[in-house]
Amino acid sequence: MVYRTDFAATRAFFDLPEGVTYLDGNSLGPLPRHAARRVHEMMTDEWGKMLITAWNKAGWMAAPRTVADRMAPLIGAAPGTVVLGDTLSIKFYQALASALEMRPDRTVILSDSGNFPSDLYMAEGLIKSLGAGHELRVVAPEDVAGAITDDLAVLMLTEVDYRTGRRHDMADLTARAQAVGALTVWDLAHSAGAFPVKLEDCGADFAVGCTYKYLNGGPGAPAFIYVAPEHADTARPALSGWLGHQAPFAFDLDYRPGHGIDRMRVGTPPMLQVAALDAALDVWDIADIGEVRARSIELGERFISGVESRCPDIVLGSPRDPKKRGSQIAFRHPEGYAIMQALISDGVIGDFRAPDTLRFGICPLFLDKQDIDRAVDVLERILRERLWDREEFKRRAAVT
Ligand SMILES: Cc1ncc(COP(=O)(O)O)c(C=O)c1O
């Protein structure tokens, strides 16, 4: 396939260490070359010289909206419908709380066992705090469509499974949920920046995601929340912080929610992180998200066929049909953790998810065919020579 996106240029956009094949952009995107300079300028020219006046003069106060608008096209959202802030867990809590309140006569929340645990934990916590008898029903991913019943209040799903990369059909499940009068909350952590998401076309009600994975905003980069325009002025923000108030600097004693998506802001935005994310988003000036998806499939297929033909001991854990998966490929092996540590020590970085999954993020913005072939070569050697079978590779670190 001939691409209009210059993938050599997008690769040059990132500052990857020599000798490293980075297959973990699905967990933490790499450093954009000019992000450090951008953050440095922000610190010296804005924080350093403007001090507090930068909230107005440098546009800091508006940045959670203006920077969100830069990423909105990647997720099929109109300008003014997305805002940045806080962490994904918090944005998820906000979305679910607002959605539940919009269905006061219903108590069932449906999710699946492929959801990221934090989303399930946040739902459990919210249910306890509300004390209104909500029930969290968790079914297998393939059973979600059949579990959408008339009593459903909210369908809350992560579009792409963090372990297997299996992708839900967002348009279909949203339509099914809405047909029974329920609302949807989509977690786009493994979608945004990986492939085109069409929130408006799907009619999704709420969506949340992080910006440190495929959007390369750096560790601790702010999360985002999307609220469909038809709900934006009615959804009540459960976390009613001062920056979501209609007039934060009126310092009223009573909370009045702001207009539209602004009401989903909570407190002071992390401006150093927003500056880094803003720099990272520059890559989309030269990259087309549809082509990123096409190239991710091309590289992913190459990786799967290479591993399957040369590493017989390891089993594909992702859907074989590329249309049914996101941008990461999972392989399974009982010694997956040690194998991944051996790979990392050889400069091929992926990660591991319990109990037995090796995850490889296929991010074409900075990966090419040579990277894929090198990863297959190294994996084959590690397995063939049992190089993983060493104590040092079996010792579990805090982050896997
Ligand atoms: C799908 C999904 N949801 C939620 C989270 C939690 O994100 P955070 O730690 O930013 O709150 C993650 C973290 O990786 C995730 O992958």
Side-chain angles (χ1 to χ4, degrees):
M1 179 168 171
V2 179
Y3 296 100
R4 280 170 291 112
T5 298
D6 179 351
F7 283 107
T10 63
R11 186 183 173 92
F13 181 90
F14 295 97
D15 189 7
L16 282 157
E18 268 305 303
V20 162
T21 300
Y22 193 58
L23 297 168
D24 217 355
N26 55 309
S27 207
L28 176 68
L31 174 68
R33 262 179 214 288
H34 66 309
R37 179 169 35 89
R38 186 76 66 84
V39 172
H40 179 76
E41 283 167 4
M42 183 268 174
M43 292 178 83
T44 51
D45 299 349
E46 298 178 10
W47 181 13
K49 296 203 174 70
M50 298 181 196
L51 294 159
I52 199 160
T53 67
W55 284 107
N56 293 317
K57 281 193 195 153
W60 289 359
M61 193 49 107
R65 283 275 302 272
T66 54
V67 178
D69 278 351
R70 293 192 69 202
M71 56 148 293
L74 299 173
I75 55 169
T81 60
V82 186
V83 74
L84 298 169
D86 315 298
T87 68
L88 173 49
S89 302
I90 288 174
K91 273 0 219 180
F92 173 79
Y93 184 96
Q94 276 186 296
L96 181 62
S98 292
L100 284 179
E101 203 170 300
M102 289 162 69
R103 289 293 176 270
D105 303 331
R106 299 184 178 201
T107 51
V108 176
I109 306 167
L110 179 64
S111 190
D112 72 7
S113 52
N115 206 344
F116 191 74
S118 193
D119 292 11
L120 300 174
Y121 303 159
M122 291 309 257
E124 276 176 32
L126 176 60
I127 288 170
K128 283 207 179 99
S129 299
L130 290 174
H134 286 100
E135 175 201 345
L136 176 60
R137 271 183 207 160
V138 179
V139 300
E142 56 279 15
D143 295 337
V144 169
I148 294 175
T149 45
D150 286 349
D151 53 356
L152 189 61
V154 174
L155 174 65
M156 52 165 252
L157 293 171
T158 294
E159 185 184 15
V160 174
D161 187 308
Y162 72 103
R163 270 187 299 224
T164 64
R166 175 208 35 76
R167 180 180 174 184
H168 276 305
D169 184 337
M170 181 189 286
D172 177 61
L173 290 174
T174 299
R176 284 172 190 264
Q178 291 174 348
V180 299
L183 292 165
T184 55
V185 176
W186 286 98
D187 181 336
L188 303 179
H190 301 271
S191 312
F195 50 80
V197 177
K198 308 259 182 228
L199 283 176
E200 278 202 5
D201 289 356
C202 292
D205 298 293
F206 293 85
V208 292
C210 60
T211 61
Y212 47 75
K213 299 183 193 290
Y214 294 97
L215 295 172
N216 311 300
F224 65 85
I225 182 167
Y226 161 87
V227 181
E230 65 269 30
H231 304 315
D233 278 319
T234 46
R236 195 188 67 83
L239 302 177
S240 36
W242 73 303
L243 288 191
H245 191 281
Q246 222 175 78
F249 283 84
F251 297 106
D252 288 347
L253 293 185
D254 300 318
Y255 183 78
R256 276 179 291 129
H259 298 296
I261 195 68
D262 273 335
R263 63 181 54 196
M264 292 299 165
R265 294 179 65 161
V266 181
T268 306
M271 286 312 303
L272 298 178
Q273 294 279 186
V274 173
L277 172 61
D278 193 36
L281 290 173
D282 290 348
V283 78
W284 299 104
D285 295 342
I286 57 167
D288 174 82
I289 184 72
E291 293 201 336
V292 165
R293 171 61 168 168
R295 184 135 168 97
S296 158
I297 291 175
E298 189 187 344
L299 295 178
E301 294 293 275
R302 188 182 184 95
F303 185 59
I304 291 174
S305 70
V307 173
E308 289 196 319
S309 62
R310 292 169 54 192
C311 310
D313 299 345
I314 198 162
V315 179
L316 182 65
S318 295
R320 195 164 290 280
D321 178 355
K323 288 196 281 309
K324 298 215 161 82
R325 57 175 197 256
S327 199
Q328 96 212 24
I329 311 275
F331 278 99
R332 304 179 63 190
H333 189 287
E335 293 292 346
Y337 182 79
I339 295 166
M340 183 52 75
Q341 300 319 303
L343 276 168
I344 293 170
S345 80
D346 226 332
V348 176
I349 304 182
D351 61 20
F352 171 80
R353 288 295 174 265
D356 60 1
T357 296
L358 297 107
R359 287 197 311 182
F360 301 95
I362 311 293
C363 306
L365 289 177
F366 53 87
L367 291 174
D368 58 23
K369 289 179 184 164
Q370 285 74 28
D371 294 307
I372 298 299
D373 294 348
R374 174 165 183 250
V376 176
D377 288 346
V378 174
L379 181 59
E380 183 195 22
R381 187 165 42 80
I382 285 171
L383 288 166
R384 187 173 15 90
E385 298 175 17
R386 288 181 67 90
L387 299 177
W388 53 267
D389 197 3
R390 284 163 47 175
E391 257 334 287
E392 65 189 277
F393 293 146
K394 296 182 183 175
R395 231 170 287 126
R396 295 275 167 124
V399 176
T400 65

